[in-house]
Amino acid sequence: MGMRRMPRKEVRPRHLKRQRDVLCDVMLAAGTCETWLTLVELSRLTQYGEASISAQLRHLRKPQYGGYVVEKRRREVAEVMCSVEHGPVWEYRLRRGAWRERIFAAAPRGDGTTGAAAKIC
């Protein structure tokens, strides 16, 4: 008997984005207009499940996936609308990590100065 061949890993076409990339794009776009989004809202926008969105937000904090800062706060308006058994509703915002801001701020610009005053969004 010969060696058994392992199935090939499917190659993702370049035009198809990973779930993490789609979520990152949506969150960064929302951040440009200072919008906070709940998991339900993100699920409606991306068509992904809330649990997997939550996992992808955790991944986006890791340096190998961008080292983003994922901010979380309780949505006050939802307290009136949600019942006691459901608990609070959390909303999220994504921004670039501080290490990344320092790198870009210290990078020399074309005119020889640094971009310390430039805002990264």
Side-chain angles (χ1 to χ4, degrees), residues 62-78:
K62 298 175 184 177
Q64 66 264 36
Y65 300 122
Y68 293 94
V69 174
V70 179
E71 295 176 289
K72 175 182 171 181
R73 72 179 185 189
R74 189 174 181 167
R75 182 170 281 184
E76 299 299 328
V77 177

Side-chain angles (χ1 to χ4, degrees), residues 7-99:
R8 281 189 173 179
K9 183 177 179 181
E10 282 190 41
V11 177
R12 179 186 309 271
R14 289 189 185 266
H15 69 280
L16 292 179
K17 289 187 171 186
R18 287 185 162 85
Q19 180 181 356
R20 184 177 52 249
D21 298 329
V22 171
L23 182 63
C24 184
D25 289 347
V26 169
M27 292 296 291
L28 289 176
T32 61
C33 55
E34 299 182 21
T35 301
W36 291 72
L37 296 168
T38 65
L39 294 177
V40 170
E41 293 164 342
L42 286 166
S43 179
R44 288 181 184 152
L45 287 169
T46 62
Q47 301 299 306
Y48 299 124
E50 294 175 42
S52 63
I53 290 170
S54 180
Q56 294 303 334
L57 288 174
R58 285 191 301 275
H59 286 306
L60 287 170
R61 290 183 172 117
K62 298 175 184 177
Q64 66 264 36
Y65 300 122
Y68 293 94
V69 174
V70 179
E71 295 176 289
K72 175 182 171 181
R73 72 179 185 189
R74 189 174 181 167
R75 182 170 281 184
E76 299 299 328
V77 177
E79 286 182 352
V80 177
M81 297 186 310
C82 74
S83 63
V84 176
E85 61 264 3
H86 289 107
V89 174
W90 298 98
E91 56 186 6
Y92 301 87
R93 183 168 69 176
L94 188 70
R95 64 181 175 86
R96 302 206 187 271
W99 66 272

Side-chain angles (χ1 to χ4, degrees), residues 101-120:
E101 290 173 0
R102 282 192 300 260
I103 290 170
F104 287 117
R109 293 171 31 193
D111 60 3
T113 62
T114 61
K119 182 181 177 187
I120 298 173

